[in-house]
Amino acid sequence: MGPLEILWACITLFFVFFALVRGYARELGVTTLIFVALFVITQFGEKYVPAILVLIVQRIGSTALSPRTQQHILSNFFSLVFILIIFASYAGETFAIKGRANTTAPTALLLNLLVGLLNGYLVAGTLWYFQDVYEYPVVDLGLLTLPLSPFAETAANFLPPYVVPPLFWAGMVMVLLLFRVKD
Amino acid sequence: MQPLSVGDPERTVLFLALLGIFAYQGFQRGLIAEMVKLGLVFVGFAVGQPTLLGSTVVNVINNAYGTVRFMLGSSRGLTTSDAGATRVQTQLIRAQNTDIALFTMMLALIGIGYLVSAKMKRSNPIMGLLAGAVNGLVLTYFFLPALPDQVPIQPPVGAEAVISQSAPNMGQVGLQIALAPFALLYQQVNTWIIPIIIVAILFFALRSIKTH
């Protein structure tokens, strides 16, 4: 795998394309579910899942997991849950914001672009965060070589869960839900 | 030109206030009007700088003035005996008045931009808001460094404050203008810039969805 920031940029670009095709009103539904996922994972998941993991290991009578193994399990678990939520937000009956979206050419294009960038940043940034906070488990699989480039080191300081408190996500979910139910 | 200083709280407050006022005005007038205004602000700024368009404009005006005088037969200043005196007498804008004339022309062009934009039909207010903010940014970027450092902030003391500045690299200025809001926000709020940008995008997107 090449530099991590290139992968990050590619994922973001995919979400920009999705937004350009689907329109920002639909993409805001995805944004809502990303906010929900971020709130649940950062507020509760990171706190309780490690404890539950230790409890499970004790119950099945296995030897205690090494810290690195725990990091592998937690990183993969949170990444998987997050990806499943993103997948669910796109599959089947989607959670779109009600109403007529603006279709005026320059404004609609700009909005599609901005919302696509936002979703891309949130998804790619969160997946990166699950690597960064658990000290890059993918390195052990030979998928990434450390150290990161200077740019990636700087960019890693701006990953969504690092710069935004969990309650902000909850607040944003409330705003979006209020807007959705508003007649 | 000195880069826009954001370290000084008074200047920052003034800068943000101006930005808000211009953005609101842009919202009221719409995108097209703001683009016209922006164009005339740039032209006005270029005319105000002798090294950009200023000297050329002065030459054109002086030559046109001389030509008109010659055609009207007012040849008092066109005697061939003293070429130097002739040149001085046929100049409408003399060297000692160049700075103030350019400054006046710059203000006039910016004023024309405002008058024309006020007469235009409102279109696309959301984009107008953004364009208005850009207008505010451009104007404050050009004129805020001319203000004195001491508080309370005073208006520029005269034409020299603006005109005497050396001509900036316009490409560099454009890039700095484009990045200035982010640089300013980052310096003021640090990583809170990310939540602020997220809220701004959501506000912008939700506001444009019509529920009825």
Side-chain angles (χ1 to χ4, degrees), chain A residues 24-25 28 35 97-100 102 107 110-111 114-115 118 121 158 163-165 168 172 176 179 182-183, chain B residues 31 124 126-127 130 186 191-196 198-199 201-202 204-212:
Chain A
Y24 68 92
L28 283 174
F35 287 160
I97 296 291
K98 287 178 184 172
R100 274 188 303 117
N102 190 331
T107 314
L110 181 67
L111 284 167
L114 287 175
V115 176
L118 173 61
Y121 163 72
F158 293 90
V163 293
V164 181
F168 175 84
M172 287 294 99
L176 285 164
F179 194 87
K182 188 181 79 170
D183 191 22
Chain B
L31 177 65
N124 207 337
I126 295 289
M127 292 300 285
L130 286 177
Y186 185 67
T191 50
W192 275 98
I193 189 175
I194 303 288
I196 289 170
I198 291 173
V199 169
I201 291 173
L202 289 180
F204 186 27
L206 290 175
R207 208 182 171 287
S208 70
I209 292 178
K210 295 179 179 65
T211 52
H212 297 287

